[in-house]
Amino acid sequence: MAIALARRYRPRRFADLLVQDHVSAALRGAIASGRVGHGYLLTGPRGVGKTTAARILAMALNCERRDTVSPRGEPCGECENCTRIWTGSASLDVIEIDAASNRGVDDARELRERAMYAASQEGHHKVYIVDEAHMLTREAWNALLKILEEPPPGVVFVFATTEPAKIFNTAAPVLSRLQRFDFRRIGPAAIRDRLREVLGQERLAADEDALTLIAKHADGGMRDALSVLDQCLSFGEGAVTAARVHEVLGLVSDELYAEVLRAVTARQPAVIFPLVGRLLDSGADLAEFANGLGEMLRSLLMLQVGATPEDLTEAMRRLLEEHRGALSDGDVLRMLRLLGESETAIRRSGNARLAVETLLLRWTLMDRTVDLEEVLAGRPPAGPTRAPPPAPATSPTPARAAPARTATRSELSVPALQAAWEGVVSQARGKSSFLGAALGAAAPVEVDGALVTLALAGENPIHREALERQRAAVEEILSALSGQPVTVRLARAAPPAAEARPARLTEAGMRAERLQKVRQKDPALDVAATELDLEVLE
């Protein structure tokens, strides 16, 4: 019977632990100097070497050749004691306990009583390795507290956990009796190198894209990476390919991600429904698909701002280069924000399909960010744009007319600013949602040299206060994009209209007046309704 790769290539020495040098050096030094503690807490994600480090510690403490091994503090990994401990065979001096199934106070009392007996040989240590330690009950920890305070000589407790916060909440006093070591997540590059090394020893081959996919899927765990590699090797003959990894792990193909980008850049919402249908037919996990969308957009943004994304397959790199620049940096950021808002619904909703379709539709129907510099310079915005809907006849917002003439970067005019106002509002919203909402309710009405006068549609005191308080931020945006210092002032509030004969109250009018008062009393509600174009109902 073949031994799994994760077991066959489990480290036998501290030096073999990947990216855990801080733990290796400390434990090896403690053994070499004879300063081994009586209790350790090893924390970190799964599959990064916590239990393996505990076994290596037990091997080093009970190694038959430990005085001859170099560097000092390392086990030889080959003597009978080392071999039994490394393979997990029965040992009188090393006991491994799964706290998930031995978590009660009676189990802890039994462990405490067994720890009172000396090791089987002179100079050996009794080592108790307790895995999933966060599963122990409060009563179990209380039963162990005394022996952790005054341990018998030659006894070492090693607790391993992925959730140290639970131990803190259940038994905080215990932590002060233990030396804690936090294990790091293993990076994709280190995992790829280790997989390459294992394949070399096994005289097997794999594509680089396949190793990249396995390393990303392992999410920092070397054990998981080796297990996936084992699966892929068992799935077929010949070199492990990216296509085989996609099939084994049920990953979404790069082509589907390409279809999403094409649909967004070409504004094709009708493509979304059959695309999500194909995803479901293939058995894809929609939450994992959403994760992939986030990674894709992050990598695209890195490329566009001049950074170099890592851990990309060649197919994904070609895809991103093809769509580089098709969306502005601001648009990619907005898509990431919409994805973040939808993640909870995708993961926990009873109808994840609807949540994914809604997200992708919002991407395809999203208004594009307008570059104010290009508008002021008289250049048309890059990329496809969608014509805005006609404004209602009774809209209180001043009309944003198309520019009657082009303007150079050093010249300001009301028509140019009105045409570019969407971009100004978008940039302001990035600084403050309240400021964005206030500017959305305002419009430039006069330009006198470098003095820009803004008028508010309606006299919402919250909007006026936001503009007064953050006037410098508005001036900074306009100055940076126009190439000259700009001063902003607010038009005076319109004088109250002459008293007219009261209009006859209707039920609809009374209802509208009540809702307006509600919005004025709740700034957050007013901003949300303005930004998202919501209708407030009673």
Side-chain angles (χ1 to χ4, degrees), residues 442 452-456 463-469 471 488-493:
V452 176
T453 302
L454 303 181
L456 279 166
H463 289 162
R464 177 168 286 275
E465 181 184 354
L467 290 176
E468 290 283 6
R469 187 159 27 92
R471 186 198 306 261
V488 171
R489 78 176 184 89
L490 295 181
R492 292 184 179 180

Side-chain angles (χ1 to χ4, degrees), residues 212-277:
T212 297
L213 290 172
I214 293 174
K216 288 179 64 176
H217 181 80
D219 194 24
M222 191 67 240
R223 184 183 63 221
D224 289 354
L226 287 170
S227 297
V228 171
L229 179 60
D230 234 346
Q231 285 179 267
C232 294
L233 290 171
S234 304
F235 196 77
E237 299 293 331
V240 177
T241 63
R244 191 188 301 182
V245 177
H246 273 101
E247 192 169 357
V248 169
L249 297 179
L251 301 178
V252 177
S253 69
D254 293 336
E255 180 54 35
L256 270 173
Y257 289 119
E259 288 187 41
V260 171
L261 274 181
R262 283 195 288 267
V264 172
T265 55
R267 296 178 174 274
Q268 296 175 327
V271 172
I272 299 305
F273 298 101
L275 187 151
V276 176

Side-chain angles (χ1 to χ4, degrees), residues 163-307:
E163 302 184 53
K166 286 190 176 181
I167 299 178
F168 177 82
N169 293 333
T170 304
V174 170
L175 298 180
S176 63
R177 276 79 173 174
L178 303 174
Q179 295 184 35
R180 174 170 171 171
F181 291 98
D182 294 325
F183 281 63
R184 297 168 180 152
R185 192 178 297 276
I186 304 173
I191 291 179
R192 275 201 311 273
D193 292 342
R194 179 60 173 160
L195 292 178
R196 226 178 274 117
E197 180 183 331
V198 168
L199 287 167
Q201 294 187 36
E202 294 289 320
R203 298 188 177 183
L204 297 169
D207 296 346
E208 281 300 307
D209 278 1
L211 298 184
T212 297
L213 290 172
I214 293 174
K216 288 179 64 176
H217 181 80
D219 194 24
M222 191 67 240
R223 184 183 63 221
D224 289 354
L226 287 170
S227 297
V228 171
L229 179 60
D230 234 346
Q231 285 179 267
C232 294
L233 290 171
S234 304
F235 196 77
E237 299 293 331
V240 177
T241 63
R244 191 188 301 182
V245 177
H246 273 101
E247 192 169 357
V248 169
L249 297 179
L251 301 178
V252 177
S253 69
D254 293 336
E255 180 54 35
L256 270 173
Y257 289 119
E259 288 187 41
V260 171
L261 274 181
R262 283 195 288 267
V264 172
T265 55
R267 296 178 174 274
Q268 296 175 327
V271 172
I272 299 305
F273 298 101
L275 187 151
V276 176
R278 295 206 319 273
L279 271 175
L280 292 174
D281 290 341
S282 67
D285 185 328
L286 293 183
E288 288 299 320
F289 173 63
N291 283 342
L293 289 174
E295 292 178 6
M296 176 185 69
L297 291 179
R298 174 180 176 273
S299 299
L300 178 61
L301 185 60
M302 290 179 69
L303 278 176
Q304 294 188 171
V305 299

